[in-house]
Amino acid sequence: RLAWEAMRPICEELGPDAVIFPSLRTVPQVDLWLRDRMELPGQLFHGLEWTVAASDANPLFSASLPNRFVAVVPSSRLEELARMCSDAVRTWMQDLGRKVVTLLLEAADLQPQEYPFPYEQMQRQLQDFPEVYWAGVPFSLIRPRNERDQTDLDVSELLHAMAPFHGVDPGTVSGFLATPAWRVLQKDIALEDGTRFYQPKPGVLYPAVYELVERLLAGAKAARPFRQRTDEGWRCSLTGESECLSLEPQHLHLPPGKRRAKSDQEFREGEHVETLWARITHRKPAWSRSGEHLGGLAAVKRLWPTVFAEEVAKALPETSSAGAVPRFVVSTHTMALAHQLEKWLDSGTTVDPELETLLKDQEPVALPRRLHLKHRKNGRLKIAMRIPSLLESEEGGDKETPSEAEYKVRSILAQAKGARADQVEKYYALLLMDGDRMGAILSGEEAFHTSYLESFHPQVQMQLRRLAERHPLLNEYAHQCRAPSPGRHSAISSALRDFSQSVVRFLVEEAHPGRLIYAGGDDLLAMLPVADLLTCMGRLRAAYSGDPPPGTQGSEGIEALGRTLSPAKGFAVLRRGSLGQASLKIMRTMGSKATASAGAVVAHYQAPLTAVMRELRAAEQRAKSEGGRDAFSISVVKRSGSGLRLTARWGEPLALLSDLHRFLATPGVSRRAVYNTLAWLTDLPHPSEVPEMLSTLLAYQLERQSSQASVGNQPRELADRLTALAKKQGEGWLPWLRSFLGVAEFFAREVRAQDDLSEGR
């Protein structure tokens, strides 16, 4: 929302088309602005999901805009518009801060007008938030000597402006102006018949202007000016930086108290005082845990879901009278159980009346969106919504053995999955994915370039080749790397928008029972059941580049809940619409040269989320550093304190990991094959020294622990593939292979073993 508030003044003054990056078309927050602030007819947005979804599954709740943008604006208004953007986002933040203070005081049963001090604190603490940096480069640095035709370009001023950023003397050719592309683009190309194929105008130097503004922005951010602020007394429990919000200035010097003093005289005599946060903890425990006392920014973050839910409710006519859109936050415990809950709902089995009565007394929880969409007409969905609450309440006690009710619930979930009665999943997965080298893609570096010839329609290519055979300069132009342009950046922006708004949402929340937390451009954060992690990871990576999903051929797509996502010659096609609206949506993809890296963490649902998120970010960094980008890294954080880490490239390693863990989960195959293998691996030489030894011994253990003849030649094939991958790891082959086998064994346990890919899976 902050990102949109920063862009809004540009859109209101110049129109949304002025913003090149990110693409704003079909973004729900922008559509809402067009309908309500710009007063576009409501029927233009009829049937869109954000106008009808009355829970926080609504796309309005999905963060989807990055915290930076690129816009083309009149140079005469550059500073004015930049100041408007900065003022707009900070004004909005101040308004939000005042609203949060009012909500806190009202929740504490206090009259807001009687307590000005917390408003003063909030205003002071949010005074320079957020930090806003901007840079602008005018095209007037490029002067056409021929004013009428805008040709014969003079770039001396541009060279002078670029020199400090490239460490060269003023006037020295540098940056884009030193590239082979500019050596070709600066020349007129005239054909034999006197027509001009190409004539350079100021717009052709957009790459140089973009490069300069990027370097200017980096310099502005490096300066990081700030205003010093004085804070006193008790600090915020979360940040430790700002003072906590208090009812009176003197409360800042007291610990969270027990009883509010009746007068200043009692305060001076040492009476205990009931602070604002003591009141909030008692009356609104969801806003403040026991012992917490929050500063302004932390309070805004804590209450933002409540405030935003009320805003969305006002945008939806059918919910505006209800006050707020109901929260739909899927807990880590529910996500751990989601795969088994779906299997139980699919199985059609029922629960006995006594257990059903007991479950009706439990608090319902939010289930993943896929389960609601798939089983909304299934009467047992309400029972499924209460199962996590029963299990959590039973596990929270001191009993050494499960109660009869808990045992029955565990049994129906385990049997639906084909596991033992005592096996209920307690681990969930977090996935963090990020596009690789986006800066290089936007600047059109050689590794991601497309030639001018390749960018034309095939029929135009054929004609251009014929002309180029007789014209050396035209031939050089045709095979030159195409320079970045506003059109290229808009195309990249629209591809990232389609990926984050449509593709990711479909794959995470419809094709799998996951929960999308953030999807903005090339990066995403999602929560998934462990059993769905590997498949979803592979599909997301393939969809980012527009490649066929793993395990499919050609244009074969992924089906889920009546919709199909499939690649089609550089595009992704999503057939049939949501909410009963038939449609065919054709979307750009980033292309085969674009790659992405992902980090994933599998953790116990009771593990501290801050620690899990820290490990998740570290996993993503390992994928980019140790994996060399275009890679994934998985961390398994076990309840016992031990853990596993596996980093590998996409493609064969992920396919082999999936195949191996499916083999180990096959009935009649024992996972002891992994334990036995790990016991003697240390004594083996490097696979390259004795090529057949590792493969033979791996195959022997896999065959030995297989009691069924139906496994066929799988042990030998898996062993050969494992050996081939181990050889590529160099000196680190042994720890890598240990991690690979350990992760495969963990995923193969009955409670989370991946099923055959059925409809939507």
Side-chain angles (χ1 to χ4, degrees), residues 419-545:
R420 297 195 310 271
D422 62 338
Q423 290 186 315
V424 173
E425 179 63 275
K426 296 184 179 181
Y427 285 81
Y428 73 101
L430 278 176
L431 174 65
L432 183 63
M433 195 173 201
D434 183 51
D436 297 326
R437 302 190 65 190
M438 279 304 302
I441 292 174
L442 288 170
S443 60
E445 290 186 10
E446 186 174 353
F448 304 100
H449 86 274
T450 299
S451 70
Y452 284 97
L453 179 65
E454 292 171 326
S455 65
F456 288 124
H457 187 278
Q459 293 180 355
V460 178
Q461 288 185 31
M462 184 171 56
Q463 295 290 340
L464 183 56
R465 283 194 180 94
R466 278 204 289 264
L467 287 171
E469 289 176 357
R470 306 190 304 271
H471 199 296
L473 190 57
L474 182 59
N475 184 63
E476 188 178 359
Y477 166 86
H479 292 89
Q480 187 54 245
C481 167
R482 181 166 185 161
S485 65
R488 174 184 170 86
H489 284 177
S490 294
I492 292 172
S493 181
S494 66
L496 293 175
R497 177 205 63 212
D498 288 339
F499 177 71
S500 61
Q501 292 283 313
S502 300
V503 175
V504 171
R505 189 173 176 82
F506 172 82
L507 289 176
V508 173
E509 296 192 343
E510 295 183 35
H512 300 275
R515 177 68 164 140
L516 184 61
I517 299 172
Y518 170 79
D522 63 315
D523 58 340
L524 66 96
L525 174 63
M527 184 163 53
L528 292 153
V530 179
D532 292 83
L533 174 63
L534 297 182
T535 303
C536 190
M537 280 173 57
R539 287 172 167 178
L540 286 167
R541 169 62 187 90
Y544 182 74
S545 299

Side-chain angles (χ1 to χ4, degrees), residues 273-477:
V273 175
E274 186 179 37
T275 65
L276 171 63
W277 293 104
R279 286 173 168 266
I280 295 297
T281 300
H282 176 67
R283 294 166 176 80
K284 277 280 190 179
W287 289 358
S288 174
R289 302 177 184 89
S290 178
E292 277 190 335
H293 36 289
L294 306 181
L297 184 56
V300 168
K301 291 181 178 179
R302 182 66 60 82
L303 269 68
W304 170 242
T306 301
V307 174
F308 190 62
E310 293 177 357
E311 288 188 10
V312 175
K314 294 176 183 177
L316 306 178
E318 63 275 18
T319 62
S320 57
S321 61
V325 171
R327 301 294 290 133
F328 189 70
V329 179
V330 179
S331 70
T332 55
H333 189 203
T334 303
M335 186 55 67
L337 294 168
H339 185 76
Q340 286 179 286
L341 288 171
E342 181 176 7
K343 283 297 171 186
W344 176 67
L345 289 168
D346 291 343
S347 69
T349 57
T350 59
V351 299
D352 62 63
E354 184 179 346
L355 179 58
E356 185 173 351
T357 301
L358 180 61
L359 284 167
K360 285 181 179 178
D361 295 332
Q362 299 294 322
E363 188 73 20
V365 301
L367 297 179
R369 181 166 170 260
R370 172 181 165 86
L371 270 62
H372 281 280
L373 293 175
K374 187 178 179 181
H375 294 284
R376 55 177 172 261
K377 297 182 180 179
N378 188 337
R380 293 177 304 125
L381 183 64
K382 293 182 178 179
I383 297 175
M385 294 172 67
R386 289 166 166 78
I387 285 177
S389 294
L390 184 142
L391 290 177
E392 196 157 352
S393 63
E394 293 284 345
E395 291 172 2
D398 297 328
K399 295 174 293 186
E400 295 183 2
T401 58
S403 66
E404 183 179 354
E406 181 185 356
Y407 183 79
K408 286 182 178 180
V409 169
R410 287 173 174 269
S411 296
I412 62 174
L413 292 180
Q415 289 168 9
K417 178 63 184 168
R420 297 195 310 271
D422 62 338
Q423 290 186 315
V424 173
E425 179 63 275
K426 296 184 179 181
Y427 285 81
Y428 73 101
L430 278 176
L431 174 65
L432 183 63
M433 195 173 201
D434 183 51
D436 297 326
R437 302 190 65 190
M438 279 304 302
I441 292 174
L442 288 170
S443 60
E445 290 186 10
E446 186 174 353
F448 304 100
H449 86 274
T450 299
S451 70
Y452 284 97
L453 179 65
E454 292 171 326
S455 65
F456 288 124
H457 187 278
Q459 293 180 355
V460 178
Q461 288 185 31
M462 184 171 56
Q463 295 290 340
L464 183 56
R465 283 194 180 94
R466 278 204 289 264
L467 287 171
E469 289 176 357
R470 306 190 304 271
H471 199 296
L473 190 57
L474 182 59
N475 184 63
E476 188 178 359
Y477 166 86

Side-chain angles (χ1 to χ4, degrees), residues 434-438 441 448 541 544-545 590-597 624 629-631 649-650:
D434 183 51
D436 297 326
R437 302 190 65 190
M438 279 304 302
I441 292 174
F448 304 100
R541 169 62 187 90
Y544 182 74
S545 299
M590 287 297 294
S592 58
K593 293 181 180 179
T595 63
S597 299
K624 289 182 178 288
R629 297 193 181 97
D630 196 18
R649 307 279 290 182
W650 297 107

